[in-house]
Structure formats: C-alpha cells, structure tokens
C-alpha cells in the first residue's frame, strides 16, 4: 500500500522487493492483516540482513523466526540466494541473536525494537524455552546443495536454533511440459454449478479421500501455482480436528479450493459423476490439501474406520478453465488475498452490535465490527476488538490482560459487553478516554510508557478520578494523565533498580503492573 511505502520511506525502485517481503510475512504469519505483520518487517537500511524478525509469544515456547528475502526479476528470475548471502546472514544471526552481542549498533528502528524485545525475553525468568527458526525466501530457485549443508551444520552446532527452511516460488508456468500433469478425472457429487461469462467455470464438490489421493499421486506438482502451499500455524490442526470431530460440517467451515486448468468436462463414468481436468493446478487451498494429506498418510487406507472421516468430508472446489497467464494471476491474487478470519469476525454477528454502532455513529464514532468490510480511513474509527480491550481495561480492571490476551478477551467477553443494552454510554466514554490519552502520549518521546503502557495509563487515570468512568471530562483527563505517567515512570525505575532482569514489556503484561497501580491509587 502506498501509505506503507511512504511511512517506511521505501523508494520506488525497491517497492517490488519490499512487497515481496510483505508477501513472505503474510504467508508465514498465518496470512495476517497488514497492520498485524508490519511490526515484524525489518527490511530496509541497516537491517543486518534481517528482513523479517517475527516473535511468536502465543505458546509456552517462544518462537523467533528470522527471514532473509531475495526478490529476483528479469533475467535473474531463475537465480537464487547466493553463498555469500547465506554466510553473511548466518554470521549476523550468530553475533546479534545467538551471542546476543549488545555492542553491535542497530540503527534500523524496526529491527531495534524486535531485537530489544528478544533480549528482554532471553533474560526473563518466566520464559522456559526460545526456539530460533532460520528462513530464506526468494521468488527465484532453491538454494544450492552446498548452502543447504552449511545451514544443516549451523542448526546442529547451535542448540537454540530449531530449524531452517527455504521458500522458493518460481514454478508459475501452466504449460511447462516438464511440469505438465496431463489429464485426470476426480469423482464429484451430483451437484455442480456452471458459470460461463468471460471464462468457463464450475463449482463442484469432492471428498477428502479423493483430494488426498490426488496429492499422493502428484505431490507439490499439483500446487505449483499455489502461493501458500503449507504454512506454519495452528490452522493446520484446526483443519484436521474439524475433519475428525464433525466431517459433515467441514464444507460449511472451509473456504474450499480454487483450481485452474486448460480444459474441463463433467461426465459420468460407471454411474459416478466425475470432472475431467487437463493440466490442473490448485491455486488456492494448498494448505487445506496438504493438511488433509498429512492426516491421511498417518491412517491405514485399508481400514474403513480410519477412512470414514475422509469419505464423509466434502470440500467445495471452484474450477476455472483458462490458460491466460494474466487471468490466472488475477485468480491467484484474488483467491489468496484474504485475511484470516478472527474470533472478532465471527463474533461480529452479535445481533445487538448494530444498535451499538448506530448509537456511536450518532456521537461521531465509527465502530468497525468486521475487518475488510468497512471504510477505516476516518480518524474516529475504531475496531470492536480494540474498543473491547479499552473497555475491559477501564471497567473490569484488567489492563494487563487487555494488552496480551486479545483473542481470549474477545472470546470470553465480546457477547456479554456488545450484547448488552446498558453499555452504550460506557463504550463511548471508553473511546473518548482512549482518544485523549493517545493524543497526550503522542507528544512523548519513544519510551516504554508510550509504546507499552497505554492500557495501564487509562486504567490508572480512572482510578485517580473515578468520575471519568461516568462522565468524560477533557480537563480532568489531562490532570489525571500527568499524575498517572509520573507514577508509572517511578514504578518502572524502582523495579529496574531492584531487578536487573526487569522487562517493561513483561511488566505491562503481568498482574504486577495492575496491582502496583491499585496499590498506588488506594483512597487515603
């Protein structure tokens, strides 16, 4: 997006390269929305070869994924990441990450933030294990065997390095005779829908067994145009659990497949309806395909009980007959450019949410209940997720949970808060406090309180002056804000003096920060 290029000072000549880094991050970080992945993108001047530095703290083990991305164009499209690039990348990982050499100057502010957070984690008593993953990504070809062995040795020599992997997307040619799949037939259900406007298309249903057998025969060859193939993430387990627990509901819960082919024809063979496909490629749904196959290969294909979930799981497939590369590119982009569905997206169906939106709209606040469906440009727009975090910080006294447990917060409280007719005024007040505090924080230098403590400041302000939770007052906010920031600054400094391993990031995520605020704001 143009706004990102401008904000990151990305010059026109490197915008394609930067876009490839963003694309890589979206593939790897569960296809998240742009604003969710940008903090992990460190590509730019002074990045020390680290284009993406992603820290996943959602699990018991912290996983740190470090990417080097190489974008190829023109005659260099068939090239790869070179030996010198790999050696340099591993050298930087050794010094900055494994040895944690804090004397190395890092001027790239985006990398600096991630590295500082990483250093906080490795010095934290609450973290049991940190896994480091090394990732290489290019739209060129795979790295050579020598570099693969170098990476193998590096992983073996460093116990905290979990693995390495190279993503390479270069097989995007439907009529490549060496890659051609030829003509195949797949059994389908009796129901199919045809569309023949600019191109011939059909919607058909196939079962998971036949999809698994298709992948078993052709492997990644059938996915050569798929830009995701198999991502790393919790969604793979969800797909498998959905198949096993309730296979008949799978069709309703899964987005299905998109397939492009040179020719297609629906015919009946031995009483069973089939779709004949010439040179097919799955351009969207590679993750579903490989996840189903990975489950399939753990089962006994001769055991009816093992195969039952595969027979009973139906998957929708949109099939497009075209060999026009421009059309294929548009289909690939369109079917792969959708953000993951969040808990908040699902909760947005709450029947009371429209009443709250109407109320807030009357007072000049735009509530965004579902992502990617509404205009977000207004300065008075706020997502339902964020508003819930603010509300829970102020009215339920849990700013620490609001900061680090957004998904859990939404899952457990969304329906109760947005489903009540009594919270309209409180939600408006929560937004007013958030907006005022945001403006006040904007004038501060880039310190821990500004970056990490906004929920705690809002909580403390309303502890200092409880009347603000009932009636918003801008002057009272300013007075309480000065007191809250001063107190938080003092608390942080005191903790740093008494604890060499103190981390502001961990502090604002823990009950300790909330308890400190409660203790400091008790009535005399």
């Amino acid at each position: 997006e143009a706004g990102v290029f401008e904000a990151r000072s990305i010059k026109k000549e490197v915008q394609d390269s930067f876009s490839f880094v963003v694309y890589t991050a979206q593939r790897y970080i569960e296809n998240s929305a742009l604003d969710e992945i940008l903090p992990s993108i460190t590509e730019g001047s002074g990045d020390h070869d680290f284009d993406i530095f992603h820290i996943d703290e959602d699990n018991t083990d912290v996983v740190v994924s470090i990417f080097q991305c190489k974008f190829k164009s023109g005659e260099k499209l068939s090239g790869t990441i070179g030996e010198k690039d790999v050696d340099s990348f591993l050298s930087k990982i050794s010094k900055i990450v494994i040895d944690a050499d804090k004397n190395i100057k890092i001027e790239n502010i985006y990398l600096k933030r991630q590295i500082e957070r990483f250093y906080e984690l490795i010095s934290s008593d609450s973290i049991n294990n940190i896994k480091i993953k090394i990732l290489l990504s290019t739209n060129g070809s795979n790295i050579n065997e020598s570099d693969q062995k170098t990476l193998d040795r590096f992983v073996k020599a460093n116990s905290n390095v979990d693995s390495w992997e190279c993503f390479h997307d270069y097989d995007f040619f439907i009529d490549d005779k060496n890659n051609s799949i030829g003509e195949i037939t797949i059994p389908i259900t009796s129901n199919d829908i045809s569309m023949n406007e600019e191109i011939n298309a059909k919607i058909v249903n196939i079962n998971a067994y036949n999809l698994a057998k298709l992948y078993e025969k052709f492997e990644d060859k059938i996915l050569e145009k798929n830009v995701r193939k198999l991502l790393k993430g919790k969604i793979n387990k969800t797909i498998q659990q959905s198949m096993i627990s309730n296979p008949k509901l799978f069709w309703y819960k899964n987005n299905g497949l998109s397939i492009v082919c040179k020719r297609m024809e629906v015919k009946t063979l031995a009483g069973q309806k089939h779709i004949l496909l010439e040179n097919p490629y799955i351009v969207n749904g590679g993750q579903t395909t490989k996840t189903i196959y990975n489950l399939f290969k753990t089962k006994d294909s001769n055991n009816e009980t093992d195969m039952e979930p595969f027979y009973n799981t139906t998957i929708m497939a949109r099939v497009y007959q075209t060999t026009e590369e421009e059309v294929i590119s548009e289909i690939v982009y369109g079917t792969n450019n959708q953000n993951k569905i969040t808990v908040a997206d699902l909760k947005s169906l709450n029947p009371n949410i429209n009443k709250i939106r109407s109320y807030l709209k009357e007072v000049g606040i735009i509530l965004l209940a579902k992502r990617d469906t509404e205009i977000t440009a207004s300065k008075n727009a706020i997502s339902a997720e964020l508003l819930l975090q603010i509300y829970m910080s102020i009215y339920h006294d849990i700013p620490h949970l609001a900061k680090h447990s957004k998904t859990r917060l939404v899952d457990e409280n969304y329906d109760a808060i947005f489903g009540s007719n009594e919270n309209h005024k409180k939600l408006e007040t929560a937004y007013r406090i958030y907006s005022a505090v945001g403006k006040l924080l904007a004038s501060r230098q880039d310190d821990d309180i500004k970056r990490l403590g906004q929920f705690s400041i809002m909580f403390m302000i309303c502890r200092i002056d409880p009347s603000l939770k009932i009636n918003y007052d801008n002057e009272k906010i300013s007075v309480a804000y000065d007191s809250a920031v001063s107190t938080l600054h003092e608390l942080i400094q005191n903790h740093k003096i008494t604890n060499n391993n103190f981390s502001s990031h961990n502090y604002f995520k823990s009950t300790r920060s909330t308890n400190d605020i409660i203790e400091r704001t008790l009535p005399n």
Side-chain angles (χ1 to χ4, degrees):
E1 294 182 9
V4 175
F5 293 147
E6 185 177 346
R8 287 289 186 100
S9 300
I10 306 299
K11 296 179 180 179
K12 189 173 182 179
E13 58 266 27
V14 293
Q15 287 181 1
D16 285 347
S17 179
F18 185 83
S19 297
F20 180 70
V21 174
V22 173
Y23 156 77
T24 298
Q26 285 190 301
R27 284 184 62 204
Y28 187 76
I29 310 172
E30 294 190 9
N31 201 33
S32 298
L34 185 59
D35 60 343
E36 295 174 348
I37 64 166
L38 274 177
S40 296
I41 295 176
T42 54
E43 196 273 343
S45 177
D47 63 15
H48 291 271
D49 296 332
F50 298 168
D51 295 318
I52 302 169
F53 197 101
H54 178 61
I55 302 173
D56 182 0
E57 299 179 58
D58 288 345
N59 303 304
T60 305
D61 292 336
V62 174
V63 179
V64 177
S65 302
I66 309 169
F67 277 85
Q68 183 182 70
C69 304
K70 291 295 180 182
F71 178 75
K72 305 289 182 179
S73 61
E75 294 179 355
K76 297 180 179 179
L77 188 59
S78 60
T80 186
I81 301 171
E83 180 180 348
K84 290 182 179 179
D85 293 316
V86 172
D87 289 343
S88 175
F89 186 42
L90 295 181
S91 175
K92 302 288 178 55
I93 291 174
S94 291
K95 293 174 182 177
I96 298 174
V97 179
I98 295 172
D99 296 338
D101 186 352
K102 298 180 181 180
N103 293 319
I104 295 176
K105 191 174 182 180
I106 299 175
E107 295 179 347
N108 181 310
I109 61 171
Y110 308 104
L111 177 60
K112 187 176 182 181
R113 287 172 183 166
Q114 296 300 90
I115 294 295
E116 286 176 349
R117 177 60 190 142
F118 172 73
Y119 288 164
E120 287 179 353
L121 288 168
I122 60 177
S123 62
S124 173
D125 295 333
S126 61
I127 303 300
N128 296 323
N129 190 27
I130 296 178
K131 294 180 179 179
I132 298 168
K133 293 182 179 291
I134 299 172
L135 293 310
L136 301 160
S137 177
T138 179
N139 62 322
S141 57
N142 195 8
I143 58 174
N144 62 43
E145 187 176 344
S146 175
D147 287 332
Q148 292 178 32
K149 289 180 179 178
T150 297
L151 285 156
D152 286 338
R153 289 193 295 269
F154 189 84
V155 171
K156 189 175 181 180
N158 296 281
S159 59
N160 52 347
V161 177
D162 180 72
S163 60
W164 73 268
E165 191 166 355
C166 180
F167 299 117
H168 53 103
D169 292 319
Y170 63 97
D171 292 318
F172 277 75
F173 306 100
I174 194 168
D175 289 323
D176 184 340
K177 293 180 180 179
N178 294 323
N179 269 337
S180 179
I181 287 172
E183 193 173 280
I184 63 170
T185 58
I186 308 173
I188 59 173
T189 65
S190 58
N191 300 316
D192 63 270
I193 300 173
S194 297
M195 185 70 156
N196 196 354
E197 295 293 335
E198 292 188 9
I199 62 172
N200 185 23
K202 286 186 181 293
I203 296 177
V204 299
N205 294 313
I206 63 178
N207 68 32
Y209 175 82
N210 288 315
L211 181 62
K213 295 296 286 184
L214 178 67
Y215 183 81
E216 183 178 57
K217 182 176 182 180
F218 296 105
E219 298 183 323
D220 273 358
K221 202 175 188 180
I222 196 73
L223 308 178
E224 291 302 349
K225 291 180 180 298
N226 190 286
V227 299
R228 280 192 223 139
K229 298 185 181 176
L230 186 65
L231 305 189
K232 312 296 178 184
K234 302 169 194 170
I235 194 168
N236 303 329
K237 292 181 180 178
T238 304
I239 290 171
Q240 293 181 348
Q241 288 167 358
S242 178
M243 270 189 59
I244 294 169
S245 62
N246 199 335
K248 293 187 182 299
L249 271 180
F250 189 91
W251 187 93
Y252 301 93
K253 295 158 66 176
N254 187 268
N255 288 331
L257 314 176
S258 294
I259 301 171
V260 295
C261 64
K262 186 175 182 179
R263 183 175 69 88
M264 68 175 163
E265 180 185 349
V266 172
K267 55 171 59 179
T268 301
L269 302 173
Q272 167 72 56
K273 208 169 187 180
H274 287 70
I275 186 165
L276 180 149
L277 303 172
E278 183 180 348
N279 287 358
Y281 294 92
I282 296 172
V283 298
N284 180 261
Q287 186 168 14
T288 295
T289 302
K290 291 191 76 169
T291 302
I292 288 173
Y293 172 71
N294 285 340
L295 178 63
F296 175 79
K297 69 182 182 181
T298 67
K299 306 296 182 180
D300 181 358
S301 59
N302 295 315
N303 186 311
E304 285 292 319
T305 302
D306 275 4
M307 290 298 103
E308 190 172 347
F310 296 90
Y311 297 141
N312 292 330
T313 297
T314 303
I315 301 146
M316 179 182 70
R318 295 175 294 275
V319 186
Y320 308 88
Q321 179 178 296
T322 181
T323 57
E324 295 182 30
E325 287 297 333
E326 187 174 339
V327 173
I328 293 171
S329 295
E330 290 178 4
I331 293 171
V332 170
Y333 178 82
T335 56
N336 283 280
N337 197 39
Q338 298 148 1
N339 293 325
K340 64 180 180 182
I341 296 175
T342 65
V343 173
D345 290 329
L346 299 174
K347 295 283 188 180
S348 67
L349 299 175
N350 186 305
N352 197 54
I353 196 74
N354 285 333
K355 294 180 182 178
I356 294 175
R357 290 174 68 178
S358 296
Y359 170 82
L360 293 176
K361 187 176 181 180
E362 288 179 5
V363 295
I365 302 168
I366 299 173
L367 180 66
L368 306 173
K370 192 171 183 179
R371 296 186 308 168
D372 302 329
T373 59
E374 299 154 296
I375 298 171
T376 60
S378 171
K379 64 180 180 180
N380 293 327
I382 187 168
S383 71
E385 290 172 292
L386 177 55
L387 186 57
L388 181 63
Q389 289 174 281
I390 299 161
Y391 180 95
M392 298 301 290
S393 297
I394 294 172
Y395 292 100
H396 284 248
D397 302 347
I398 51 171
H400 57 287
L401 286 178
K403 176 169 178 57
H404 78 92
S405 298
K406 181 173 70 173
T407 301
R408 172 183 161 191
L409 208 71
V410 171
D411 191 33
E412 295 179 356
N413 300 283
Y414 191 107
D415 290 334
I417 303 306
F418 288 113
S420 171
N421 290 318
E422 300 176 1
N423 292 328
H424 294 53
K425 182 63 178 177
K426 287 182 179 179
L427 288 166
E428 177 193 352
T429 302
Y431 173 82
R432 303 288 183 208
I433 293 171
Y434 164 77
S435 180
V437 170
K439 291 176 183 176
L440 291 165
L441 282 172
S443 62
R444 287 185 67 84
Q445 297 297 316
D446 188 14
D447 64 356
D448 289 350
I449 292 175
K450 179 177 181 177
R451 291 187 297 108
L452 307 169
Q454 188 166 4
F455 292 124
S456 292
I457 289 173
M458 290 186 288
F459 170 59
M460 185 182 283
I461 282 173
C462 292
R463 292 277 303 179
I464 293 170
D465 190 343
S467 70
L468 288 168
K469 294 197 290 186
I470 302 170
N471 293 303
Y472 172 81
D473 185 298
N474 199 51
E475 290 186 8
K476 287 183 178 181
I477 286 279
S478 297
V479 174
Y481 168 83
D482 290 337
S483 177
V485 168
S486 175
T487 302
L488 273 178
H489 180 75
E490 181 187 339
L491 287 168
I492 289 172
Q493 294 307 310
N494 289 342
H495 282 301
K496 285 181 176 178
I497 291 170
T498 57
N499 181 4
N500 292 331
N501 294 324
F502 175 79
S503 158
S504 296
H505 194 286
N506 290 337
Y507 178 65
F508 284 114
K509 285 170 53 176
S510 71
T511 55
R512 182 170 54 176
S513 60
T514 300
N515 291 337
D516 282 349
I517 291 170
I518 291 172
E519 186 178 334
R520 284 298 190 99
T521 54
L522 288 172
N524 293 326

